[in-house]
Amino acid sequence: MIARRLWFVWAMSLLLVGILANLTHAAGATVTLNPPAEAVAAGGEFTTQVTIQGGDAVLGFQFDVVFDAAMLELTSFELGPWLGSTGRSPAPLGPVPNRSGTGATVGGYTLGSAEMPGASGDGLLATLHWKAKGAGDTELKLENLQLAGANGTALEGQVSAAPTKVAIGGGDTTSLAVLLLVIGAVVVVGGYLLLRRRQRTTT
């Protein structure tokens, strides 16, 4: 009786492991837009990285980057090393602004012989280059992810659901502090020279 129960528990455990493995495989790759590595100043430039996890023989990709055009400008992007990691020749597509003005579409594809497989595993998919146009808090997010395999076959993939938050400061405080110090020094020196001149005229 105990042996039967142990066998039943073991069989159910194997079944659950199989179900979880199938669900994980069905979800496909996950693409994530990571936050900037450094503080962002108004009027300054910064980058964000797009990474992929669990890719499987990917030959090309495309996604929409959604952002507030009044706060940010997507100036350019470059492909990371992951897409061409198997020896295929990668090429970028975009960025192409969408008609609604709420973002842009970027992508990439690879060229190579049929014997060269697509990229698999984890890696850096792309680096996005931005310019901050205003100050305040804003968000970035990815939508409409498409992954392509051999012969244009659509591959399973998803984007991270949580948007990436970006805090844009009021400018370069270091430069402002230096400017204030210079102005203060000029005022002090000017006041001292004016005082000395008055003393000479009175004597």
Side-chain angles (χ1 to χ4, degrees), residues 112-153:
S113 64
E115 291 76 19
M116 289 183 173
S120 297
D122 308 339
L124 177 60
L125 192 60
T127 300
L128 309 180
H129 296 264
W130 301 89
K131 181 177 181 179
K133 299 167 63 176
D137 295 334
T138 188
E139 292 183 345
L140 308 171
K141 63 178 179 178
L142 303 183
E143 293 182 348
N144 303 322
L145 173 66
Q146 299 179 42
L147 299 175
N151 301 317
T153 303

Side-chain angles (χ1 to χ4, degrees), residues 35-75:
E38 300 178 352
V40 179
E45 299 180 349
F46 66 98
T47 61
T48 54
Q49 292 187 338
V50 180
T51 55
I52 185 170
Q53 292 181 311
D56 185 13
V58 177
L59 300 184
F61 73 92
Q62 179 178 300
F63 54 74
D64 294 334
V65 190
V66 180
F67 56 92
D68 184 353
M71 296 285 290
L72 298 170
E73 177 185 357
L74 179 60
T75 57

Side-chain angles (χ1 to χ4, degrees), residues 101-119:
T102 59
T105 301
V106 300
Y109 64 95
T110 58
L111 299 174
S113 64
E115 291 76 19
M116 289 183 173

